[in-house]
Amino acid sequence: MLERPDQRGERAVLVHLQLTAGDDQELLSEFKELVRSAGAEPVVVITGKRYSPHPKTFAGKGKVEEIAMMVKSLDADLVMFNHAISPTQERNLEKIFCCRVVDRTGLILDIFAQRARSFEGKLQVELAQLKRLSTRLVRGWTHLERQKGGIGLRGPGETQLETDRRLITQRIKQLNRRLKKVQEQRHLGRNTRQRSAIQTVSLVGYTNAGKSTLFNQLTGASVYVADQLFATLDSTLRKLEADTDQEIVVSDTVGFIRHLPHDLVAAFRSTLEETVEANLLIHVVDAADPEQDTYIEQVNEVLSEIGAADIPVLTVFNKIDLTDIVPHIDYDSEGKVNRVWLCAQSGHGLDLLKQVLVETLLDGQQQLWIKTSAENGRTRAKLHAMGVVIEEKLDDKYIWNILIDISTKDLEMLIKSSEFDLSIDDTLTENLAGQAQAS
């Protein structure tokens, strides 16, 4: 029976194996950044190659012996694997190394636990940790199998292991209920912004690409910024500082990473919904990173997983001060903006991005009256879901007159779509335009 070793310190032996049987390989440089962000002190990095993981110890016999020797000679406190290892492999390795073993998923969870600041963020991290812990209870700690015996100490027969599993299950249900309430509050906030016709922009990108720095520059906020992975977790919303009468709200979200644990994606779904509901995504990319193409692909995969693949994306290449590139805008073959190059830290090129945001989100907006029959509830529901309705009234002929604030692109989509039965009321719209000119 295995007794889990105590966590004595942060001296870590890092293990990175190249598995030739898999196409998706983890990056050693990224692994080192994760370890540094977690606050551990790497004492040695052990690398190797295998065709596939060993079912009992992940690494082969010789490599395990090498790791055990390094742990002993360097007086290491834990061994970190740049891979996801099973509970059985983790227990077997801890028994051999006589120290804690942490895999890639556990490392990311630990970083999230350190970074979470808001009530919602702490709930999300705890939920992910408990779901992971529930799979690692069996035979993990010897005390979980003990029962008190003797006269007056005999209980109903439930072992400590069963008690802990039951308590974890109850706590998970409680966290899900609390997060559901937070999600409902976020939903109310989004509905308010939609009713006010406020355009929203969400910053997405690989972790440590400079999203929070760009967010602070765009909004004048003071979100925590550091040169480390997952420096900020909690979603923050602020108004864009730009020369325009209409509001644009910018949200900063958690950074993405290769093979982000599914439990974390699920736990942070309510936060990531700010991304799903945005009018535009700003994909922040580190222009100086040689792995930028790989990171862009990983971000697109996560966006697809959370249901944000169809939202318009503006790519912003940040940190151009580390390259020979000057701030500029790239256009596609149709003359539309698809890339902006800038340095968020110095602010060079920031005016270009603000100009693009205002032109993209606010130009082409118009207010007009739409007429549709009272029987066509589907149209009204869609318009309300889009958040474009300003005012509506039902006349004596049971026709809805709806005042909307909508972009030209969305209006064309509504008119061309066969599922909508509506027409534009030119008289009311002309009166509206006349009132605007008079004012």
Side-chain angles (χ1 to χ4, degrees):
M1 189 68 67
L2 166 67
E3 183 74 36
R4 291 263 188 199
D6 292 332
Q7 182 73 39
R8 292 176 287 126
E10 305 295 344
R11 291 171 55 82
V13 172
L14 310 187
V15 181
H16 175 81
L17 302 181
Q18 182 179 351
L19 302 176
T20 56
D23 296 330
D24 294 332
Q25 301 294 331
E26 308 297 354
L27 300 175
L28 179 57
S29 58
E30 181 181 272
F31 180 43
K32 291 179 179 178
E33 281 296 311
L34 284 171
V35 173
R36 184 176 68 87
S37 298
E41 176 191 352
V43 292
V44 68
V45 179
I46 298 177
T47 60
K49 290 185 178 181
R50 276 189 66 85
Y51 177 76
S52 61
H54 191 283
K56 291 185 178 180
T57 56
F58 194 89
K61 181 179 179 181
K63 187 62 64 176
V64 170
E65 291 177 351
E66 178 186 352
I67 298 170
M69 182 180 65
M70 286 294 182
V71 170
K72 185 176 181 180
S73 61
L74 298 174
D75 192 28
D77 303 306
L78 67 159
V79 176
M80 292 183 169
F81 278 75
N82 190 21
H83 313 273
I85 60 179
S86 69
T88 300
Q89 292 168 340
E90 181 180 315
R91 291 193 300 273
N92 292 337
L93 289 171
E94 287 185 347
K95 187 175 182 179
I96 296 172
F97 300 152
C98 297
C99 71
R100 292 301 308 270
V101 173
V102 179
D103 68 351
R104 179 184 174 86
T105 302
L107 177 59
I108 294 175
L109 277 172
D110 185 81
I111 296 173
F112 272 53
Q114 294 181 45
R115 302 284 189 269
R117 292 292 179 268
S118 69
F119 174 70
E120 180 185 9
K122 292 177 180 179
L123 289 179
Q124 290 166 334
V125 172
E126 184 182 355
L127 177 61
Q129 287 178 320
L130 289 177
K131 286 183 176 180
R132 174 177 167 80
L133 179 60
S134 64
T135 65
R136 282 165 159 74
L137 280 180
V138 181
R139 301 179 67 84
W141 287 265
T142 58
H143 79 276
L144 297 183
E145 294 291 355
R146 294 177 186 152
Q147 281 183 279
K148 292 182 178 180
I151 298 174
L153 295 177
R154 293 186 180 90
E158 184 177 45
T159 64
Q160 185 64 44
L161 175 64
E162 293 168 336
T163 301
D164 284 8
R165 184 181 289 116
R166 175 169 51 80
L167 293 174
I168 287 177
T169 301
Q170 292 174 354
R171 180 60 177 168
I172 289 176
K173 291 180 179 179
Q174 183 183 33
L175 290 174
N176 281 324
R177 287 195 297 268
R178 290 186 178 181
L179 284 172
K180 185 178 180 180
K181 290 183 179 180
V182 175
Q183 186 176 5
E184 291 173 352
Q185 293 171 350
R186 282 188 176 276
H187 184 66
L188 290 173
R190 283 194 295 269
N191 285 344
T192 301
R193 293 194 296 273
Q194 289 174 348
R195 285 194 297 270
S196 303
I198 297 176
Q199 300 293 308
T200 58
V201 178
S202 183
L203 299 178
V204 299
Y206 211 76
T207 182
N208 207 28
K211 295 186 305 302
S212 295
T213 301
L214 180 59
F215 178 80
N216 289 340
Q217 290 279 32
L218 288 173
T219 64
S222 55
V223 171
Y224 175 71
V225 175
D227 183 19
Q228 56 186 202
L229 303 187
F230 302 117
T232 54
L233 294 182
D234 305 312
S235 180
T236 309
L237 291 88
R238 294 290 187 276
K239 180 182 176 181
L240 174 70
E241 292 185 343
D243 295 331
T244 175
D245 295 333
Q246 293 180 271
E247 286 191 15
I248 298 177
V249 172
V250 184
S251 68
D252 185 23
T253 59
V254 61
F256 300 152
I257 197 170
R258 286 170 61 88
H259 304 152
L260 189 65
H262 290 288
D263 284 344
L264 279 177
V265 174
F268 277 76
R269 188 165 297 278
S270 62
T271 302
L272 294 174
E273 280 183 359
E274 294 292 348
T275 299
V276 179
E277 299 293 336
N279 299 104
L280 177 70
L281 301 182
I282 296 180
H283 183 174
V284 184
V285 180
D286 186 346
D289 198 317
E291 300 289 340
Q292 61 180 244
D293 291 338
T294 302
Y295 294 162
I296 291 174
E297 182 181 346
Q298 292 295 322
V299 170
N300 290 335
E301 287 183 8
V302 177
L303 290 176
S304 178
E305 185 176 350
I306 65 176
D310 296 331
I311 300 176
V313 177
L314 172 64
T315 304
V316 171
F317 282 85
N318 187 26
K319 303 184 182 182
I320 61 171
D321 56 315
L322 303 179
T323 69
D324 296 328
I325 303 173
V326 297
H328 68 281
I329 299 174
D330 287 342
Y331 299 87
D332 61 17
S333 57
E334 299 179 356
K336 296 180 179 179
V337 177
N338 62 356
R339 291 181 176 180
V340 178
W341 301 76
L342 52 77
C343 175
Q345 188 171 20
S346 66
H348 293 155
L350 200 66
D351 55 336
L352 298 178
L353 177 58
K354 290 184 178 181
Q355 172 189 335
V356 170
L357 290 177
V358 172
E359 292 177 354
T360 302
L361 294 171
L362 300 184
D363 279 10
Q365 287 288 125
Q366 55 182 314
Q367 288 189 7
L368 68 161
W369 286 92
I370 294 292
K371 298 178 67 175
T372 186
S373 65
E375 298 177 352
N376 189 13
R378 189 175 185 181
T379 298
R380 289 184 59 232
K382 178 64 176 178
L383 292 172
H384 280 283
M386 294 173 63
V388 298
V389 176
I390 299 177
E391 180 185 347
E392 59 180 2
K393 50 189 176 182
L394 186 66
D395 62 21
D396 54 1
K397 296 181 180 180
Y398 298 101
I399 298 296
W400 279 107
N401 294 276
I402 308 172
L403 176 61
I404 60 175
D405 186 317
I406 193 170
S407 67
T408 303
K409 180 180 178 181
D410 288 340
L411 179 62
E412 291 175 353
M413 181 274 294
L414 285 172
I415 295 176
K416 291 179 180 179
S417 178
S418 59
E419 64 177 302
F420 295 108
D421 173 27
L422 52 81
S423 61
I424 299 176
D425 191 318
D426 295 329
T427 302
L428 287 174
T429 301
E430 289 175 3
N431 292 339
L432 181 67
Q435 294 171 8
Q437 291 178 359
S439 61

